[in-house]
Amino acid sequence: MPVTRFTAYSQTMPSPSSPSLDEKIGQMLMVGFRGATVDENHFIVRDIQKYHLGGVILFDYDVINAQWQRNIVSPPQVKALISSLQQVSIRPLLIAIDQEGGHVARLNERTGFPATCSHMELGQQDDLSRTLTETAKLARTLADIGVGLNLAPVIDLCSNPDNPVIAKYERCFSADPQKVAEHALHYIRAHHQHGILTTLKHFPGHGSSRSDSHLGLTDVSASWSARELLPYQQIISAGQADVIMTAHVFNRQLDSEYPATLSKATIHGILRQQLGFEGVVISDDMQMGAIVDYYGFDVAISKALAAGIDILVFGNNLHYDEQVVPRAIAVIKDLIRNGTLREERIDQSYQRIMRLKRSAKLDWN
């Protein structure tokens, strides 16, 4: 049977009409932090309690300090860390992690977690029952420690075998969109059976890229194909898309001015209107080079929200800013005050996020 997440908070979660503007904005942020434990003096606890932070993201490796064990030391430690974070929040937190499998698995053998299979390995074997079985093991690990949202599966096509950030790390099932969709649906099914939400990424397609958007501008205008939308279309139509993550890729075919995360034409036009997705849209890390090197903090937030992003991610692993939550909230409130952003837009995202958190009891049809 599916596991019900967030049960302890089901009676205290406010009705959609009761929260303040600050509370609604706080739910739209997901932030990373340093530490295998937290106490009342940690900024992440402050952000949860004072600023109503809605989600956190865990990492095993601290990029800036070039050190392992940033948040993850052992299974009992991570479980205790997650529990302590949930206990200080009056609402259920979205605890998120990149646990794709294979090379991209924050919970790995180094810290006592089971080995996992990469998307590419599963796609090459092309045995859907094995994809379901192997992913069920992965999902059970997440359920056991209290992670509620896996930032996976990757449904980018393996269209460029030399892709430095997707194919190089075996993060794609196949170059065939139908095969990608089939394996992704089984991957999602295994998660849903254990009460774990999933995230399709990286919309509208990162598989053809020749550069890494963590490091700077990634232009897929000449290499991207509309075939890369097919897995999204199929999974959305099947009603199995919980969350979709945008890519910081520039694609002139879709928007001649902004990368996907900041593109209303891409998110609202294609994802919402053309593909009919009504769920939560989450950004890739807003501190990645493709964003911070070309757009200021204020502009990036403004454009992302105008485009249709519901949750802004600040991983604090490429840049570390303990004030990023109050800074982001101040920017969003200024946008509302000066008329650039309507409060109704915040309401829309808040409603989607609350529906997502309430949907943690999941069924597979």
Side-chain angles (χ1 to χ4, degrees):
M1 290 183 63
V3 176
T4 302
R5 288 243 172 273
F6 311 135
T7 303
Y9 299 90
S10 61
Q11 300 304 314
T12 59
M13 185 182 292
S15 67
S17 61
S18 65
S20 67
L21 177 60
D22 284 3
E23 289 171 321
K24 289 184 285 188
I25 294 172
Q27 291 298 303
M28 295 174 65
L29 303 175
M30 177 176 286
V31 174
F33 61 97
R34 289 177 179 145
T37 61
V38 296
D39 59 26
E40 66 275 10
N41 298 314
H42 198 293
F43 87 89
I44 203 71
V45 172
R46 173 206 67 193
D47 288 351
I48 292 168
Q49 294 183 323
K50 182 177 180 180
Y51 298 111
H52 317 285
L53 179 65
V56 299
I57 180 171
L58 305 180
F59 292 99
D60 57 340
Y61 184 70
D62 191 297
V63 174
I64 299 170
N65 291 334
Q67 293 179 346
W68 293 99
Q69 301 188 342
R70 171 181 160 115
N71 301 126
I72 299 164
V73 176
S74 70
Q77 168 271 323
V78 183
K79 185 173 183 177
L81 173 63
I82 290 171
S83 177
S84 65
L85 291 168
Q86 292 286 18
Q87 287 172 15
V88 299
S89 179
I90 65 168
R91 291 172 181 79
L93 292 169
L94 275 181
I95 308 290
I97 199 164
D98 293 285
Q99 189 70 4
E100 299 169 11
H103 295 287
V104 181
R106 312 305 186 199
L107 309 173
N108 51 55
E109 295 165 283
R110 182 183 291 104
T111 47
F113 289 92
T116 55
C117 295
S118 72
H119 286 18
M120 187 175 289
E121 179 182 349
L122 294 172
Q124 289 175 343
Q125 293 189 0
D126 200 18
D127 180 345
L128 294 176
S129 63
R130 182 163 190 264
T131 294
L132 185 66
T133 300
E134 290 298 325
T135 308
K137 298 175 187 176
L138 183 156
R140 191 178 306 117
T141 296
L142 298 178
D144 286 346
I145 63 171
V147 169
L149 175 64
N150 193 359
L151 300 175
V154 177
I155 60 170
D156 295 321
L157 305 187
C158 295
S159 48
N160 175 16
D162 297 319
N163 188 311
V165 70
I166 303 298
K168 177 183 176 182
Y169 292 100
E170 301 184 0
R171 301 175 69 196
C172 46
F173 291 111
S174 172
D176 178 353
Q178 180 62 31
K179 186 182 291 188
V180 170
E182 290 172 350
H183 283 274
L185 281 166
H186 282 72
Y187 189 101
I188 293 166
R189 176 183 179 183
H191 280 73
H192 286 182
Q193 288 175 340
H194 289 85
I196 308 298
L197 301 164
T198 60
T199 309
L200 307 180
K201 62 186 189 185
H202 305 82
F203 186 84
H206 208 316
S208 70
S209 71
R210 296 182 176 86
S211 58
D212 183 349
S213 55
H214 290 80
L215 306 177
L217 180 66
T218 298
D219 190 336
V220 297
S221 301
S223 58
W224 183 87
S225 163
R227 295 173 70 251
E228 299 182 50
L229 296 176
L230 295 177
Y232 291 97
Q233 183 178 44
Q234 186 165 334
I235 296 167
I236 291 168
S237 295
Q240 298 303 313
D242 301 323
V243 179
I244 294 180
M245 177 182 285
T246 59
H248 300 328
V249 294
F250 180 74
N251 187 341
R252 194 173 290 102
Q253 296 183 50
L254 306 180
D255 190 319
S256 61
E257 190 171 2
Y258 294 109
T261 299
L262 311 184
S263 169
K264 186 172 183 178
T266 302
I267 299 173
H268 180 72
I270 297 175
L271 184 55
R272 296 285 189 207
Q273 295 188 321
Q274 181 178 322
L275 298 182
F277 181 60
E278 298 178 350
V280 168
V281 178
I282 189 170
S283 76
D284 208 338
D285 192 343
M286 296 294 288
Q287 294 167 320
M288 286 165 57
I291 298 297
V292 298
D293 292 348
Y294 297 89
Y295 306 92
F297 185 79
D298 297 19
V299 171
I301 290 176
S302 176
K303 295 299 181 184
L305 295 181
I309 295 290
D310 296 306
I311 297 178
L312 296 164
V313 177
F314 297 92
N316 268 343
N317 207 6
L318 300 171
H319 299 270
Y320 198 73
D321 181 2
E322 294 188 354
Q323 301 301 317
V324 71
V325 169
R327 286 180 63 214
I329 291 174
V331 169
I332 295 169
K333 291 176 77 173
D334 281 345
L335 291 170
I336 293 170
R337 274 193 292 266
N338 66 30
T340 303
L341 186 69
R342 299 180 64 186
E343 189 168 346
E344 288 82 358
R345 171 67 189 81
I346 301 299
D347 290 335
Q348 291 171 356
S349 288
Y350 177 79
Q351 299 270 1
R352 292 188 192 108
I353 294 163
M354 290 299 103
R355 283 197 298 270
L356 179 72
K357 289 186 173 184
R358 292 188 179 100
S359 75
K361 185 176 181 179
L362 298 161
D363 298 299
W364 176 257
N365 295 317

